[in-house]
Amino acid sequence: MSDAPNTGSNAVSDTRPTRLRDALRQARIEAADRTGVVVDLRDAEVARLEILNEALDPLFAQVPEQIDLFDRGVSQGETPRLWIDVVAHVLMGRDKRIYRFVQDSRFGRIVLAESHDVAVIVDAVTDYVARRMIEREHALVATPMAEPVAIDKPRRSGFWIFALGFVVGVAALFGLALFATLRNF
């Protein structure tokens, strides 16, 4: 009789680790699949941003070399981005098929354009680049400040300042000596 409960508990203990082991194995497989899907999605985002980057090549070929406002490139961080300049970039929307062209400002992020179509984003980036180049021209053409007018002050001789300082110093020492002698009496 004592064998039956032991056999039952042994059967349960033998069954559960096998099931737990199988469950852990299955969970690891599912986690690996999800990780693979996330990596595939990130690779797809980067590939879409590379396609947009190549579509922007003719635009940036027309930008004069002396204008160094734009630093275009794809960053492959947690959220891949195609940077246009320091404050504007393109990233993929939540569905990973929509391009979102945004600009960071002191008031937050502003969405400049959003579309599934590469041509629409290229047009938005073209408009943005043109506006930035015009802003640069206005900043460089700013009215120059007037030259300060130098007024020639009459040069004073340093001798009189020295003489005044000497007289004041002698008077101060004489006063200190007089004070010290009167205090001793």
Side-chain angles (χ1 to χ4, degrees), residues 89-108:
H89 60 274
V90 179
L91 56 105
M92 302 307 295
R94 290 186 183 208
D95 66 351
K96 308 300 182 202
R97 291 181 298 220
I98 191 167
Y99 294 100
R100 182 173 289 145
F101 180 40
V102 298
Q103 180 182 14
D104 294 327
S105 71
R106 60 182 164 203
F107 303 114

Side-chain angles (χ1 to χ4, degrees), residues 50 53 71-76 81-85 89-90:
E50 290 291 340
N53 193 19
D71 190 19
R72 187 172 52 124
V74 176
S75 66
Q76 297 186 10
R81 294 183 171 115
L82 171 61
W83 290 92
I84 305 303
D85 63 4
H89 60 274
V90 179

Side-chain angles (χ1 to χ4, degrees), residues 114-131:
E114 194 170 36
S115 177
H116 292 358
D117 191 16
V118 172
V120 172
I121 301 299
V122 168
D123 289 341
V125 171
T126 303
D127 292 342
Y128 174 78
V129 167
R131 284 193 311 269

Side-chain angles (χ1 to χ4, degrees), residues 9-184:
S9 65
N10 285 342
V12 169
S13 64
D14 289 341
T15 306
R16 287 194 188 239
T18 305
R19 289 179 56 204
L20 180 59
R21 199 174 324 139
D22 291 340
L24 285 171
R25 182 174 167 268
Q26 184 64 30
R28 286 188 182 114
I29 290 170
E30 289 171 2
D33 288 344
R34 279 193 302 268
T35 303
V37 168
V38 168
V39 169
D40 289 343
L41 283 174
R42 186 170 297 135
D43 289 345
E45 282 183 76
V46 171
R48 287 179 184 267
L49 291 172
E50 290 291 340
I51 290 169
L52 178 61
N53 193 19
E54 289 174 8
L56 290 171
D57 282 341
L59 167 67
F60 284 98
Q62 297 174 14
V63 175
E65 289 183 20
Q66 67 267 19
I67 296 178
D68 59 352
L69 290 174
F70 309 105
D71 190 19
R72 187 172 52 124
V74 176
S75 66
Q76 297 186 10
E78 183 177 327
T79 304
R81 294 183 171 115
L82 171 61
W83 290 92
I84 305 303
D85 63 4
V86 176
V87 294
H89 60 274
V90 179
L91 56 105
M92 302 307 295
R94 290 186 183 208
D95 66 351
K96 308 300 182 202
R97 291 181 298 220
I98 191 167
Y99 294 100
R100 182 173 289 145
F101 180 40
V102 298
Q103 180 182 14
D104 294 327
S105 71
R106 60 182 164 203
F107 303 114
R109 186 168 282 172
I110 301 168
V111 177
L112 300 175
E114 194 170 36
S115 177
H116 292 358
D117 191 16
V118 172
V120 172
I121 301 299
V122 168
D123 289 341
V125 171
T126 303
D127 292 342
Y128 174 78
V129 167
R131 284 193 311 269
R132 288 291 302 221
M133 289 175 66
I134 295 299
E135 288 174 7
R136 179 182 180 273
E137 287 177 11
H138 286 286
L140 292 176
V141 177
T143 57
M145 295 193 50
E147 292 287 328
V149 178
I151 300 174
D152 290 335
K153 296 181 181 178
R155 186 173 177 130
R156 295 185 179 166
S157 174
F159 174 75
W160 293 112
I161 295 174
F162 173 75
L164 179 64
F166 183 75
V167 170
V168 169
V170 167
L173 284 175
F174 179 74
L176 185 63
L178 183 62
F179 177 73
T181 54
L182 290 178
R183 191 171 179 199
N184 288 336

